[in-house]
Amino acid sequence: VDRATSRLYQPLTMVRSKAGKHAPLSPTSRIADALGAWHVADDASSPSMAGAEEEEADVWPPPGHVPWPPWAEVVVARLRAYLADAPEPAARARRSALLRKFAAKGEAIPGFGAVSAQQVEDALGSVPLQGSGATAGEVDTTAAQQLVALAARLAEAAGGAPDGRALQALQALYNASDPATKKQADDWLTKFQQTPAAWQVADSILSRTDLPIQFRFFAAQTMRTKVQFDFYELPADSYGSLRDSLLNHIDRFRSPELQPIHTMLAIAVADLAIQMDAAWPNAVQQVFERFGQNPDSYATLLEILRMLPEENMNYKLMTDSHKRSSSRERLQQAAAQVVQFLLTLQCPSMHAKKKVMECFLSWLKFTNLQAGDIAQNPLLPECFKNVTEGGELSEIGTDIIIEVLRMSSLDLKFFQPVIQVILSMLPPLRAKLERLLSQGVELALDSDQDGILQICRIYVEVGECLIPLVMEQIRNEEVLMILRVILQCTDLPSQEISSIPFEFWHRLGNEVCRHPETDSKIDQFQGIYMELLSVAIRRCTVNPAEDPFQMDDDLASYRQRLLNLAEDCLGILTPNSALEHVLKSLQDGQRQGVVVQEAHFFCLATVGAKAEVRAESVLWQLIQSLPPLINEAVDDAKPEGVMLHFTKKTAIELLGQLSKWIKTRPEFLRSALEMISSLLMHQAATGSPNQILERVKQVQQSASMAFREICASGKQQLGDLVPHLIQLYVQTMALPIRMHLFIVDGIGSVAAQLKQDDAFRSALEQLVMPLVNGIQSERDKPQVLSEILDRLTTIIRQIQVQAGSVKAINVGTLISNGFWPVARQCLEWHPSDSKVVEKSCRLLKHSMRCVPDLFKPLVPAVAQTLVPAFQTHQHSSYLYSAEILANTYAGDPEIVPVLTSLFHQLSTHALQCLVNKRDHLETISELVEDFYGMFDRYLRYTPMIVLEAPTLQPTLQLWLEVIFVQQKDAIEAVIAFMEAVLALVAEGSKPARGFSDEKRVRYGQLLRPHCLQVGPGLVLAIFKLMAGVPTRYVQDILPSVIEVIRAAFPQEFPLWLEAGLRQLPPQVASPAEQQKLGEQLIRGDDGLVYEAVQDLCYRCEQVTLRSRGSTETTTDGGRR
């Protein structure tokens, strides 16, 4: 039977059952498998791929009932006769099982009608029967051979076997015109790749030369993913045959048009070498023996050799840590042999040379060669030659040079010979750069941007590698030349190239400033950083031919990074020296127009804000020149007018950033406010085009922000302007609310600083009462009410008064007679509007915080409002208001009964809402957030209210559901409460010490039985969450949750953890790897726990992404 089935089952002769046991397929199971019934497991004595039927419930083509064909009756009759002649009970049982399986599956095999009854008779006709002189063994063997042959015909003719269905799906994927059919085929193939049957199908398709390249690429990709993710399905006995099959396949795909398949199979071989571990200890030697004897196979050898070290670092490969580690050791031992082979290899073409260099790059990270060996390696100067000359090998040459530099940076002393060789090879690169730039920057970039990019990368890597050397030998001409080349690259008008050195300048600046005792060092770097600041200004210049108001995100981000670069310069130059330099540069560039002005203004916003205010500074001349510029009329119809308009916007922003300067000159402070006020009141002409309206809007947005900054900075000097400011406040009510809130914020900061009680009260009333009195007329407009509430909140947030003062009494009166009635009325008018509710509660929060003692009489009324409002409309803001009440009045015994009643009523109703929506908690994440936030706040400030609450146990039980809510604020609140509870339990479990907090110990003891009920399920839920790929934020906080569970229940945790690890997909970690990770989680410190959780989450993520992945790829190997 083994010989008869070998053609169908190479290279796999064994499979793993769903129960996880490795067992050979019995003859009956193999035949049933070949007949398309490989998923049936009704014969307990014949191990099969049990469970795969559930995994691959879908069939291809899409299911449509196929009637039992007439010829099948002939098959059944023949099998019954065969069964009747069975020589012994065991054989009879096997044949009976085969018959049941075949009959059960016949209807589900599409296209069986294509096989005629005569074909079936022919297939089974030669089976000898008992009594014809044949032995029982001969009968068994012959019958098996004929049935397997029949299965092959059925699969080929009808597509009923797995490979037939896979071919049909591939045909639909690549050739169907209907997108829905292509999508259905893609989905089916993705699922099929994850079934055990895919091993055999992929092997079968790879063996056929008559199939399209795309089909065979799919098979190679499938084989790679199976080795990568599903190696656990295979028993050890099948490893060798799989290896031999892959090695047989790969060399047949080395031609250029089949390169993607070649690469996929090379990855599969490299992954298999890691997975097999000790079962294939001589992988490198074997591939040398197999493919290193014939030059025609060198391409295959190089491809596999390149992939071996790359795949060792590919953590998408689901393998054990010890296998990866031992593989790395074996690769390091083989590195010398590989490098020697690469050096002696004669390359007949540029393509072959590139393959050699790619392979060398992969092995560089595994070499343990001496520095002298690397320095004398002929590939290194060849790489520099390739970069200098350009061409196909320049990119890979650049990558190799950079990798050598990164290795060298780990130990400059050890790699000094390498560094000396590299430094000696830099001049030709510099000469090439200068030659290119000599024809003009734009022409240079047009003619060889890739070459300039490669030179920039190498020089920046040299600089980063040699930062310690740069620090020591800044006056060395060779070092200065490196810095000048990097500076040239930074100044190129290409965002891609110019951005490469940013991190180098930041690191170098930090290194220089890290040693303040060496002031002489800082002085030595000032010249280069002064030039760098000039470069930053030049690169900030926008293109005058484009509308800067429509600046894309990439350019905006690039300009922001240039500001960061300018800020790096301040540490070396000092802010005041940098300011003088920028001002002189501005003066020198005045004749170049507003484009250059705008770039200087943009940089000055950072530099000037950090500089020390000096009366004699030239900056005052600039500040005084800004109002005329800002007030200058512009013609937006002309490109220069658009640029002037944008420069005005930047000048306004500069004024806001220079507010600490402006406040020192009251006369200018007032004129600046007056100028900005006029801009805020400006309206675009009626009928203006949309682009004009957008420009005016952006300028006014900048003006409103500058207004706030200037008011906040100069609030002590602006008290007498409050009447005028309030007038502006009223006149600008029509501005968009975002702008007007900046104005309110600025005016509120001035009013809040008024010293006279009457003036303070009057200003506050003038700001507040128009809003309070206006709500009646706007009661039917929830959007307008929301904006009124926003303004009131912005005002009250600015107020800070001393308890018991006249100002405090005035504010308390205003809250009682104004803010509280407004909030209550808004809640009554629009109880279902979440925005109105949120902003009403926010106003109450800040009112409460402003004068808590004077707000206290309102607390019962507020509580009486919150409960029925929440019962009617479950807005989470009501729960948050209860949090703030607890935070503010938990220590007041008169208010505690109110808080207790409020908590019980709100928590009861909120809990019921959450339980009712437990299957859709993501849709009410705000309620989850504030529900657990309320529990956390009450536990912190009034713990007995929580501990005695009837909702405590079900709230803890709900942890098992809410842990899956991924919205950041919600899960943050859930985990904060978890950690608070479990920390108390841990404290209550520790041996009593003299310095223990007796109350906290008692709270922990009260919580322990509740948490003990929840703990096992919570650990299971956490591991289910990992398997489902949580957000990055959740992945980062899960380790702390696991640690606090471990601390609270040290005895129980190992058993809970064992059950939790069983929740993970089998692809994620083998039993040995689970044990290793489990040890880390049980005994490791916080670093090891974090590492283990991150490892598990990453593995689960890769398994999930693989399940979601599409099989429709180009044949360029891109879906690696």
Side-chain angles (χ1 to χ4, degrees):
V1 173
D2 283 339
R3 287 193 301 273
T5 58
S6 62
R7 181 172 62 85
L8 289 179
Y9 269 80
Q10 284 183 346
L12 307 179
T13 59
M14 305 175 78
V15 295
R16 173 178 174 161
S17 70
K18 190 173 183 180
K21 297 178 180 179
H22 299 295
L25 285 173
S26 68
T28 303
S29 297
R30 292 190 186 192
I31 296 167
D33 183 276
L35 289 171
W38 62 95
H39 293 322
V40 177
D42 54 347
D43 182 3
S45 65
S46 301
S48 67
M49 297 179 184
E53 187 169 3
E54 294 86 350
E55 296 174 13
E56 198 207 3
D58 297 335
V59 295
W60 187 268
H65 183 69
V66 180
W68 183 257
W71 62 264
E73 295 295 338
V74 180
V75 176
V76 173
R78 185 70 185 180
L79 288 172
R80 284 191 181 124
Y82 176 42
L83 177 63
D85 292 325
E88 54 185 347
R92 182 183 297 272
R94 289 200 304 274
R95 296 169 188 169
S96 177
L98 169 62
L99 181 59
R100 289 200 308 275
K101 292 177 182 178
F102 185 70
K105 280 292 180 178
E107 290 187 276
I109 303 175
F112 259 30
V115 182
S116 67
Q118 187 58 49
Q119 287 176 302
V120 178
E121 283 291 343
D122 292 342
L124 294 179
S126 61
V127 177
L129 300 180
Q130 188 75 15
S132 62
T135 64
E138 291 173 338
V139 172
D140 278 352
T141 301
T142 306
Q145 290 173 338
Q146 298 306 317
L147 287 173
V148 167
L150 171 63
R153 293 179 189 174
L154 294 179
E156 185 174 349
D163 52 347
R165 286 184 289 164
L167 292 176
Q168 287 184 348
L170 286 166
Q171 186 72 22
L173 177 67
Y174 289 107
N175 298 315
S177 57
D178 177 27
T181 301
K182 293 171 74 73
K183 174 69 167 58
Q184 192 174 22
D186 186 53
D187 291 344
W188 186 89
L189 287 167
T190 299
K191 292 179 181 178
F192 175 73
Q193 283 183 318
Q194 298 166 57
T195 64
W199 290 103
Q200 178 257 328
V201 171
D203 184 70
S204 174
I205 293 175
L206 286 169
S207 301
R208 295 180 58 176
T209 59
D210 59 325
L211 294 176
I213 292 177
Q214 299 98 318
F215 289 22
R216 288 178 284 169
F217 176 79
F218 165 80
Q221 180 197 64
T222 300
M223 196 63 83
R224 188 261 297 172
T225 61
K226 297 297 288 181
V227 176
Q228 193 173 47
F229 289 99
D230 301 330
F231 194 70
Y232 73 96
E233 292 177 341
L234 303 178
D237 290 355
S238 67
Y239 295 171
S241 59
L242 173 60
R243 175 196 59 206
D244 295 343
S245 180
L246 288 175
L247 294 177
N248 286 334
H249 286 313
I250 188 170
D251 206 34
R252 295 187 294 103
F253 293 99
R254 63 174 184 261
S255 60
E257 67 273 13
L258 300 175
Q259 185 59 44
I261 302 174
H262 197 241
T263 300
M264 277 292 167
L265 291 176
I267 297 171
V269 171
D271 288 344
L272 184 62
I274 298 171
Q275 296 281 33
M276 288 179 66
D277 194 31
W280 194 8
N282 60 336
V284 175
Q285 184 62 36
Q286 187 169 347
V287 295
F288 266 112
E289 293 171 357
R290 180 74 177 262
F291 304 112
Q293 310 303 317
N294 184 352
D296 292 341
S297 297
Y298 282 176
T300 299
L301 176 60
L302 289 171
E303 197 75 9
I304 295 175
L305 288 177
R306 178 167 73 94
M307 293 305 169
L308 282 168
E310 286 189 10
E311 288 305 295
N312 184 272
M313 296 182 294
N314 177 16
Y315 287 88
K316 294 180 181 179
L317 173 63
M318 297 293 106
T319 193
D320 293 351
S321 304
H322 75 87
K323 287 185 178 182
R324 196 182 299 276
S325 178
S326 60
S327 168
R328 185 178 184 88
E329 291 177 4
R330 286 192 291 269
L331 291 178
Q332 288 174 335
Q333 292 169 3
Q337 178 189 5
V338 174
V339 172
Q340 184 61 33
F341 169 74
L342 296 176
L343 293 178
T344 58
L345 196 61
Q346 297 297 316
C347 300
S349 66
M350 196 71 71
H351 178 72
K353 188 63 179 177
K354 186 176 181 181
K355 288 286 185 184
V356 170
M357 294 175 72
E358 288 173 345
C359 188
F360 180 72
L361 176 61
S362 292
W363 281 83
L364 262 180
K365 298 170 184 176
F366 290 87
T367 55
N368 51 8
L369 301 176
Q370 293 298 312
D373 295 334
I374 300 177
Q376 296 171 16
N377 191 312
L379 271 179
L380 193 56
E382 191 172 342
C383 288
F384 275 94
K385 181 173 178 288
N386 291 327
V387 178
T388 303
E389 295 178 353
E392 186 179 346
L393 300 180
S394 61
E395 185 67 26
I396 183 63
T398 301
D399 292 340
I400 290 173
I401 294 167
I402 287 174
E403 185 58 41
V404 171
L405 284 164
R406 288 177 181 167
M407 290 172 54
S408 302
S409 67
L410 301 177
D411 189 341
L412 290 180
K413 185 175 180 180
F414 177 79
F415 285 99
Q416 186 177 3
V418 180
I419 293 168
Q420 288 176 343
V421 170
I422 289 176
L423 290 177
S424 70
M425 296 178 185
L426 289 178
L429 296 184
R430 185 176 71 251
K432 176 182 179 180
L433 178 65
E434 291 173 351
R435 186 173 63 253
L436 285 168
L437 295 179
S438 65
Q439 57 187 323
V441 173
E442 297 294 343
L443 188 58
L445 289 171
D446 289 341
S447 63
D448 194 4
Q449 180 162 339
D450 287 343
I452 296 174
L453 177 67
Q454 291 160 7
I455 294 172
C456 178
R457 288 179 60 203
I458 291 171
Y459 264 90
V460 169
E461 198 66 43
V462 169
E464 292 188 348
C465 172
L466 300 182
I467 281 180
L469 181 64
V470 173
M471 289 287 296
E472 293 174 4
Q473 303 184 29
I474 182 58
R475 297 195 184 279
N476 181 294
E477 186 57 35
E478 195 172 18
V479 170
L480 286 172
M481 188 58 69
I482 293 171
L483 294 179
R484 290 192 189 105
V485 172
I486 298 174
L487 195 64
Q488 278 182 293
C489 295
T490 312
D491 199 17
L492 290 172
S494 163
Q495 290 183 32
E496 181 183 10
I497 299 176
S498 174
S499 300
I500 292 173
F502 286 178
E503 181 61 25
F504 163 72
W505 294 119
H506 177 71
R507 285 183 56 195
L508 179 60
N510 281 349
E511 192 66 23
V512 174
C513 296
R514 199 163 60 90
H515 304 285
E517 69 280 359
T518 57
D519 290 340
S520 59
K521 289 287 184 189
I522 296 179
D523 294 340
Q524 293 168 9
F525 282 94
Q526 285 188 343
I528 197 77
Y529 272 87
M530 199 72 81
E531 292 183 53
L532 182 62
L533 182 56
S534 296
V535 168
I537 297 169
R538 282 196 295 274
R539 291 301 101 229
C540 282
T541 305
V542 299
N543 187 345
E546 298 176 359
D547 184 352
F549 287 96
Q550 303 296 325
M551 186 183 299
D552 61 42
D553 292 342
D554 288 342
L555 179 55
S557 173
Y558 175 64
R559 289 198 355 140
Q560 184 57 51
R561 293 183 67 195
L562 285 166
L563 281 188
N564 296 338
L565 186 63
E567 194 167 343
D568 289 334
C569 296
L570 303 186
I572 308 293
L573 305 177
T574 74
N576 284 86
S577 296
L579 176 61
E580 292 175 8
H581 178 75
V582 178
L583 291 172
K584 186 175 186 310
S585 174
L586 175 60
Q587 185 178 10
D588 295 342
Q590 283 288 358
R591 294 182 181 180
Q592 299 179 42
V594 293
V595 175
V596 173
Q597 276 188 324
E598 192 278 333
H600 284 80
F601 291 170
F602 185 71
C603 290
L604 279 170
T606 292
V607 176
K610 295 185 178 296
E612 180 186 354
V613 178
R614 292 180 178 176
E616 71 280 4
S617 174
V618 182
L619 182 60
W620 286 113
Q621 297 177 22
L622 172 64
I623 292 174
Q624 291 167 0
S625 71
L626 292 179
L629 171 65
I630 293 170
N631 287 324
E632 185 176 343
V634 297
D635 183 359
D636 279 293
K638 299 179 180 179
E640 56 270 23
V642 176
M643 194 63 233
L644 177 59
H645 205 161
F646 189 73
T647 304
K648 288 174 60 173
K649 172 180 174 291
T650 307
I652 293 166
E653 294 168 352
L654 175 58
L655 271 181
Q657 293 300 312
L658 296 178
S659 58
K660 75 172 186 178
W661 288 72
I662 294 172
K663 73 175 183 179
T664 64
R665 296 202 177 178
E667 71 284 357
F668 188 81
L669 176 64
R670 294 165 185 267
S671 64
L673 274 182
E674 183 178 350
M675 176 198 63
I676 293 177
S677 299
S678 66
L679 285 173
L680 291 170
M681 295 175 63
H682 172 73
Q683 293 183 349
T686 305
S688 296
N690 288 337
Q691 65 266 29
I692 302 296
L693 296 176
E694 175 62 25
R695 290 167 193 163
V696 171
K697 177 183 175 183
Q698 288 191 32
V699 170
Q700 288 187 323
Q701 177 72 22
S702 296
S704 64
M705 296 170 68
F707 179 88
R708 180 189 63 175
E709 295 301 323
I710 292 173
C711 284
S713 184
K715 55 193 173 187
Q716 301 291 351
Q717 295 94 348
L718 296 174
D720 61 321
L721 289 183
V722 166
H724 300 287
L725 294 175
I726 290 177
Q727 186 178 7
L728 173 69
Y729 159 74
V730 174
Q731 291 174 338
T732 54
M733 282 278 190
L735 286 175
I737 184 62
R738 184 182 174 193
M739 294 184 199
H740 197 249
L741 287 178
F742 286 125
I743 298 170
V744 175
D745 203 1
I747 297 173
S749 66
V750 176
Q753 295 300 315
L754 293 174
K755 304 299 183 185
Q756 298 296 323
D757 293 337
D758 290 343
F760 172 80
R761 177 184 53 77
S762 174
L764 202 56
E765 288 178 351
Q766 289 181 68
L767 286 171
V768 169
M769 294 317 294
L771 299 173
V772 172
N773 296 331
I775 68 162
Q776 289 294 336
S777 60
E778 308 292 348
R779 63 178 296 171
D780 296 328
K781 302 174 183 177
Q783 179 60 37
V784 176
L785 292 178
S786 294
E787 294 177 1
I788 290 174
L789 292 165
D790 270 338
R791 292 182 175 95
L792 291 173
T793 301
T794 302
I795 294 168
I796 196 65
R797 286 179 61 187
Q798 292 284 356
I799 307 301
Q800 293 182 351
V801 292
Q802 186 176 355
S805 66
V806 174
K807 287 183 180 179
I809 294 171
N810 289 333
V811 172
T813 302
L814 193 62
I815 289 173
S816 299
N817 298 333
F819 288 12
W820 164 235
V822 165
R824 184 175 55 194
Q825 286 176 314
C826 288
L827 292 174
E828 291 173 356
W829 294 338
H830 299 282
S832 61
D833 191 298
S834 60
K835 185 180 290 187
V836 171
V837 171
E838 188 269 328
K839 294 182 184 301
S840 298
C841 292
R842 189 162 169 261
L843 176 60
L844 292 177
K845 175 184 75 173
H846 288 288
S847 300
M848 190 188 316
R849 286 178 172 174
C850 183
V851 284
D853 54 333
L854 299 176
F855 192 91
K856 176 180 172 180
L858 301 175
V859 171
V862 171
Q864 291 170 9
T865 301
L866 294 177
V867 171
F870 182 72
Q871 290 173 344
T872 305
H873 298 282
Q874 290 73 46
H875 296 303
S876 64
S877 299
Y878 297 126
L879 304 182
Y880 183 67
S881 297
E883 282 186 55
I884 304 304
L885 285 169
N887 189 24
T888 308
Y889 299 105
D892 191 327
E894 296 179 4
I895 301 297
V896 167
V898 178
L899 296 177
T900 303
S901 174
L902 177 65
F903 179 83
H904 289 336
Q905 294 183 75
L906 289 179
S907 65
T908 299
H909 193 75
L911 179 64
Q912 189 59 51
C913 294
L914 293 174
V915 170
N916 292 341
K917 282 273 198 175
R918 67 194 319 155
D919 295 330
H920 307 283
L921 290 171
E922 286 283 359
T923 63
I924 52 171
S925 60
E926 290 184 355
L927 187 61
V928 172
E929 174 194 350
D930 288 323
F931 175 76
Y932 280 96
M934 181 178 71
F935 263 83
D936 183 41
R937 194 79 66 108
Y938 272 76
L939 183 64
R940 194 184 317 164
Y941 293 103
T942 57
M944 288 311 299
I945 293 179
V946 175
L947 295 172
E948 295 173 351
T951 52
L952 174 59
Q953 182 61 42
T955 296
L956 300 181
Q957 192 65 41
L958 201 60
W959 281 352
L960 280 57
E961 317 285 341
V962 295
I963 193 71
F964 293 97
V965 177
Q966 297 294 283
Q967 200 278 329
K968 183 176 183 294
D969 295 329
I971 193 64
E972 187 177 53
V974 169
I975 288 180
F977 179 57
M978 280 184 187
E979 291 180 338
V981 169
L982 292 168
L984 288 173
V985 174
E987 197 161 342
S989 303
K990 294 176 182 177
R993 294 187 178 94
F995 51 82
S996 297
D997 187 328
E998 294 182 3
K999 287 186 177 181
R1000 289 180 59 83
V1001 170
R1002 176 59 181 155
Y1003 298 153
Q1005 292 170 347
L1006 292 173
L1007 285 166
R1008 180 179 174 80
H1010 295 291
C1011 293
L1012 192 57
Q1013 296 181 41
V1014 178
L1018 178 59
V1019 174
L1020 288 179
I1022 288 172
F1023 279 87
K1024 288 180 182 177
L1025 176 61
M1026 289 187 201
V1029 190
T1031 63
R1032 178 60 55 191
Y1033 173 77
V1034 174
Q1035 291 180 31
D1036 286 340
I1037 59 177
L1038 280 180
S1040 63
V1041 180
I1042 291 175
E1043 285 187 76
V1044 77
I1045 296 173
R1046 183 181 70 178
F1049 298 100
Q1051 301 301 319
E1052 297 85 355
F1053 179 70
L1055 192 60
W1056 297 352
L1057 178 63
E1058 183 180 348
L1061 286 167
R1062 288 198 294 268
Q1063 303 300 309
L1064 301 176
Q1067 299 96 324
V1068 167
S1070 68
E1073 190 70 6
Q1074 286 189 18
Q1075 182 175 359
K1076 174 233 176 191
L1077 293 168
E1079 287 293 322
Q1080 284 184 243
L1081 294 172
I1082 293 171
R1083 297 182 176 83
D1085 57 17
D1086 54 354
L1088 286 175
V1089 171
Y1090 182 85
E1091 179 184 305
V1093 171
Q1094 293 301 305
D1095 189 7
L1096 284 170
C1097 287
Y1098 182 81
R1099 288 167 174 266
C1100 291
E1101 181 179 11
Q1102 296 310 310
V1103 170
T1104 301
L1105 289 174
R1106 182 250 189 147
S1107 300
R1108 297 172 184 167
S1110 169
T1111 59
E1112 184 174 19
T1113 62
T1114 59
T1115 56
D1116 61 358
R1119 192 174 169 248
R1120 182 180 164 199

